[in-house]
Amino acid sequence: MRRRKGNGMDEIEAGQDSFLDIVSNIVGILVILVMVAGVRAKGMPKIDRDSPVADAVNEPQMREAFESLTQKSQNFEIVQAETRSIGAEVRHLQEILATRSRERGELIGLLGILKTEYDLASEKLSESEKEKLAIERQLREIDDKLTEAGRTKAWLLQNRPQATVLENLPTPHSQTVNGNEAHFRLKGGRIVHVPFEALIQKMVSEVKGRISDVAKKGEWSGSVGPLEGFAMPYRVIVRNIRDSRGVGYGIDFAESEIVPEQDAMGETLEQAFAPQSDFQRRLTAYRQDLYTLTLWVYPDSFEEYQKVKKYLFSRGYKTAARPLNFDDPIAASSHGTKSSTQ
């Protein structure tokens, strides 16, 4: 973990070290001066003013030498007194140094304790900062979701469709369609014929033509069409059959989808209800007593479905509705459900 530079404890420790270095240098210099003065004092003779030698000194040069020696002796006594004073100051400084050393040791110990506490506090602060960052990140994600929800709500309010009144036709009961069916798709307000049965027949013919390959692989996928603008990819599987006659196999229609070549197909209701329209031509091929008309309806065409249902009811047709989501294709399989007519 990185420590911050320039904290208070580092400044205290640096000041103590500088002071101790200065005191040590002064003590060393004083000791050297004392030793030099002692060595010089040993080499000087002591002359008494009342001795015969002093009386014999009559010449000026001898008198001058004597006075110089006397002055040096006095200077030595002064230096000796100063040396004793300096020695006392040195001992006093040594006592101060010892005191400062003890205080320095105590400060170093206190500094160690403070550093330990600082490290612990830094670790706790790091954990707190991590938790704070995690909380801030969660808050930002929530804010983003709220903003997106606000934009979605505003769009829905702006593009909310007007309420549509659906007319309820008399439908006393419903029943499963077991006979013939004709299929139409309602999407984008348009109605188009879906050649469902014709595509199924093409698929059956194709599978029969490849029956050996299908039986060998156990599963087969293919596609038929396009027919009237629709293609049908499919998948069949082989099912083993065991009965009193022996072991054989059957083919199950696993799944298929009716895929349009383009999304916008068919006629508007105004076009479809007009004479000579493709919708009218398709209706003439389906007798009311033989066929049920199944309408595959997407969410954007529920209103059109009610109009088509009313129109077909007036023409004597039975209808069945198959609602789909926008992304759902028209699909079928041997395990699907049958339409219910009303």
Side-chain angles (χ1 to χ4, degrees), residues 195-253:
F196 199 96
E197 299 298 332
L199 290 170
I200 293 293
Q201 292 302 321
K202 280 184 171 292
M203 180 202 68
V204 172
S205 298
E206 184 174 286
V207 171
K208 285 182 178 179
R210 300 175 178 271
I211 191 67
S212 59
D213 294 333
V214 175
K216 186 182 300 183
K217 291 185 177 181
E219 181 176 332
W220 185 266
S221 296
S223 179
V224 294
L227 184 63
E228 298 182 25
F230 291 93
M232 188 178 76
Y234 67 89
R235 185 173 67 91
V236 297
I237 57 176
V238 177
R239 173 173 49 87
N240 293 325
I241 301 175
R242 183 185 299 273
D243 56 18
S244 59
R245 294 176 294 178
V247 178
Y249 63 88
I251 296 177
D252 281 345
F253 177 32

Side-chain angles (χ1 to χ4, degrees), residues 1-222:
M1 178 175 296
R2 298 177 61 186
R3 297 193 178 97
R4 297 179 180 176
K5 297 182 179 180
N7 57 46
M9 296 309 300
D10 291 338
E11 294 177 358
I12 293 174
E13 185 176 355
Q16 290 291 337
D17 291 339
S18 299
F19 175 76
L20 294 176
D21 291 339
I22 293 170
V23 172
S24 299
N25 292 333
I26 292 173
V27 171
I29 293 171
L30 293 176
V31 169
I32 293 171
L33 290 174
V34 171
M35 293 176 64
V36 170
V39 170
R40 293 181 64 182
K42 286 182 178 180
M44 292 183 179
K46 185 176 182 180
I47 301 175
D48 191 355
R49 290 178 181 270
D50 298 329
S51 63
V53 177
D55 293 336
V57 178
N58 294 318
E59 296 180 2
Q61 292 180 351
M62 294 299 293
R63 187 179 297 106
E64 183 179 351
F66 179 78
E67 291 177 354
S68 176
L69 183 60
T70 302
Q71 183 65 37
K72 290 181 179 180
S73 177
Q74 292 175 353
N75 291 339
F76 170 73
E77 292 176 354
I78 293 172
V79 170
Q80 201 172 28
E82 291 178 352
T83 301
R84 285 194 294 271
S85 177
I86 291 172
E89 290 181 0
V90 168
R91 287 191 294 275
H92 178 65
L93 289 174
Q94 287 177 340
E95 292 176 357
I96 293 175
L97 178 61
T99 302
R100 294 294 182 268
S101 297
R102 289 193 299 270
E103 292 177 352
R104 181 175 181 273
E106 293 175 357
L107 288 174
I108 291 174
L110 179 60
L111 177 62
I113 296 173
L114 291 175
K115 286 183 178 179
T116 302
E117 293 179 353
Y118 173 78
D119 292 339
L120 293 175
S122 298
E123 292 177 359
K124 292 180 180 179
L125 180 61
S126 299
E127 294 297 328
S128 300
E129 290 178 349
K130 290 179 181 178
E131 294 178 359
K132 180 181 178 182
L133 291 175
I135 293 173
E136 289 178 350
R137 184 172 59 253
Q138 293 176 359
L139 289 175
R140 285 195 300 270
E141 292 176 355
I142 293 173
D143 288 339
D144 292 341
K145 291 180 180 179
L146 288 175
T147 303
E148 181 64 25
R151 287 196 296 264
T152 303
K153 180 181 178 181
W155 184 89
L156 291 174
L157 291 175
Q158 184 179 359
N159 297 275
R160 180 173 56 184
Q162 296 181 352
T164 302
V165 178
L166 301 179
E167 184 178 356
N168 185 24
L169 299 177
T171 53
H173 65 279
S174 62
Q175 56 185 2
T176 302
V177 177
N178 292 313
N180 298 322
E181 284 186 83
H183 298 264
F184 292 86
R185 188 192 74 167
L186 274 167
K187 187 175 184 180
R190 292 176 172 270
I191 186 167
V192 63
H193 178 254
V194 180
F196 199 96
E197 299 298 332
L199 290 170
I200 293 293
Q201 292 302 321
K202 280 184 171 292
M203 180 202 68
V204 172
S205 298
E206 184 174 286
V207 171
K208 285 182 178 179
R210 300 175 178 271
I211 191 67
S212 59
D213 294 333
V214 175
K216 186 182 300 183
K217 291 185 177 181
E219 181 176 332
W220 185 266
S221 296

